[in-house]
Amino acid sequence: MRIEIWADVVCPWMYIGKRRLERALAGRSGEPVEVVWRPYRIDPTAPAVSEPVEEFLRDPFVEVALEACGPVQDGDGELVQMSELAAAEGLGDRWGAAWRADSHDAHRLLALAEAEGPAVQDAVAEGVLRAHFVEGRDIADPEVLAGIATEAGFTRGGELLAGGGGAERVRELLLWGQAEGVRTSPTFVANGMALTGAQPSELVAEFLAEAAGREPRRLPEEVERLRRAEALLELANPLGALELLRPLTEAHADDRNVRFLAARAYYRSAQLNRARSTLEALLEESADDAYTHLLLGRTLQRQGERELAEPHLRLAAVMDPALA
């Protein structure tokens, strides 16, 4: 069974959640478990150059970031309580980040480490978390990340990171997470089930036992990509949908479903010329699709071509009165 951990390495609950997951796995028997790390960003506006965390805590928008890192408890004793919980999980007496760091490069390193196997990727994750929360180091510093990679046995990590590796993979995974409904760091996903937050190890164990009993239907990779792109479109992220669709539009240029979803994304992202040309080509091949007529009519309207739009809108309404 594969467990995906969707989390931001600057979320303190993630480190606690990691320890609780490890305890749950240690007491488990049965089929082997593979743990894979996936990116999530709680603070995408973090500065390119790290700043002392005290300045971040004075930021009026800090609560927005912390809402995505859970479970979050109210009250002025939050940081004190977090240090107590961390100590209880064996994470040491000294606890707390010293820097507000952009976690993008750390996620790139984790994405690159996946190819080295679960054990190496997990060792990199442990090193990043320890550096940020226990050692007070700046995990946005390339030298710090290169050192963590080497210590984890990923000797090529620093070099690959310096060459820009992993950036495209991280962007795509962030879109996947958005499409799958990931809203909290950490979120554990296994066999189509999700558990949000750093829950007690007993609850994590129950979650794993229930997930192990499931056999979700496995869809082809192309179908999964199409499904995620459509989900992003419904979440009002048409540019993200187009990014996920790009491999499909290149490999399956003749597929009607791919082209129509791309046309919808073009329309929603105001790329009206692309939407128009794609829809016109679809109608040349098959003129009996009411929704294609409707979308082309609306596209022409937005371009100011009302006379050209009207026949398509009328046809759509006749073919499917629900579209009137």
Side-chain angles (χ1 to χ4, degrees):
M1 181 172 67
R2 167 178 281 197
I3 302 171
E4 292 182 328
I5 304 176
W6 295 85
D8 199 338
V9 291
V10 296
C11 170
W13 283 106
M14 177 60 261
Y15 209 0
I16 291 170
K18 182 177 188 293
R19 284 294 184 268
R20 291 175 174 178
L21 173 65
E22 290 167 348
R23 187 180 300 113
L25 289 174
R28 184 179 178 278
S29 59
E31 65 174 315
V33 171
E34 176 184 78
V35 176
V36 179
W37 289 78
R38 300 296 190 216
Y40 182 75
R41 299 293 300 277
I42 65 169
D43 186 21
T45 62
V49 178
S50 299
E51 63 184 17
V53 74
E54 289 82 2
E55 296 182 22
F56 173 53
L57 294 175
R58 288 195 294 267
D59 190 319
F61 296 105
V62 65
E63 291 184 7
V64 176
L66 292 178
E67 284 175 0
C69 174
V72 176
Q73 300 183 23
D74 297 327
D76 295 335
E78 170 73 11
L79 294 178
V80 174
Q81 184 185 37
M82 289 294 296
S83 65
E84 293 173 353
L85 288 172
E89 297 295 339
L91 296 175
D93 295 330
R94 190 228 168 270
W95 172 264
W99 299 96
R100 181 192 184 189
D102 187 332
S103 60
H104 177 67
D105 286 350
H107 286 304
R108 285 201 296 125
L109 184 62
L110 281 167
L112 291 165
E114 183 180 359
E116 305 297 310
V120 172
Q121 191 192 37
D122 190 71
V124 170
E126 178 68 27
V128 170
L129 291 166
R130 183 177 63 251
H132 185 63
F133 289 109
V134 177
E135 298 170 353
R137 292 195 285 167
D138 179 7
I139 61 168
D141 185 329
E143 293 186 4
V144 170
L145 290 175
I148 290 170
T150 300
E151 291 173 9
F154 183 24
T155 55
R156 300 182 306 133
E159 179 183 351
L160 293 173
L161 203 61
E168 184 175 349
R169 177 63 170 165
V170 168
R171 283 197 304 271
E172 183 168 85
L173 286 171
L174 287 170
L175 291 172
W176 284 15
Q178 183 184 359
E180 295 295 336
V182 177
R183 301 290 182 270
T184 302
S185 171
T187 295
F188 303 97
V189 177
N191 281 348
M193 293 180 59
L195 179 70
T196 59
Q199 304 298 337
S201 56
E202 295 80 8
L203 289 181
V204 178
E206 292 176 9
F207 163 75
L208 296 177
E210 186 175 353
R214 290 169 55 96
E215 293 185 10
R217 185 163 63 100
R218 305 296 179 184
L219 298 175
E221 182 182 347
E222 295 83 359
V223 176
E224 285 281 9
R225 182 175 289 274
L226 190 68
R227 183 181 65 80
R228 289 182 176 124
E230 188 162 18
L232 288 176
L233 195 57
E234 296 302 318
L235 290 168
N237 186 356
L239 294 178
L242 286 169
E243 186 165 346
L244 288 191
L245 279 174
R246 180 161 43 83
L248 296 181
T249 56
E250 294 172 354
H252 303 280
D254 295 330
D255 188 283
R256 187 175 182 85
N257 291 328
V258 172
R259 293 159 67 200
F260 184 67
L261 186 57
R264 289 175 57 199
Y266 290 141
Y267 175 80
R268 294 283 295 276
S269 61
Q271 299 180 63
L272 300 180
N273 287 334
R274 288 187 172 184
R276 178 176 178 173
S277 61
T278 303
L279 292 164
E280 287 174 341
L282 288 169
L283 285 176
E284 284 181 9
E285 298 168 11
S286 179
D288 60 353
D289 190 314
Y291 195 35
T292 303
H293 278 289
L294 176 68
L295 191 55
L296 179 55
R298 289 179 175 174
T299 300
L300 291 166
Q301 276 186 330
R302 290 180 67 182
Q303 290 185 313
E305 302 278 5
R306 296 189 177 277
E307 289 186 7
L308 294 176
E310 191 58 33
H312 292 287
L313 296 174
R314 283 201 307 267
L315 268 174
V318 170
M319 296 168 71
D320 185 350
L323 299 178

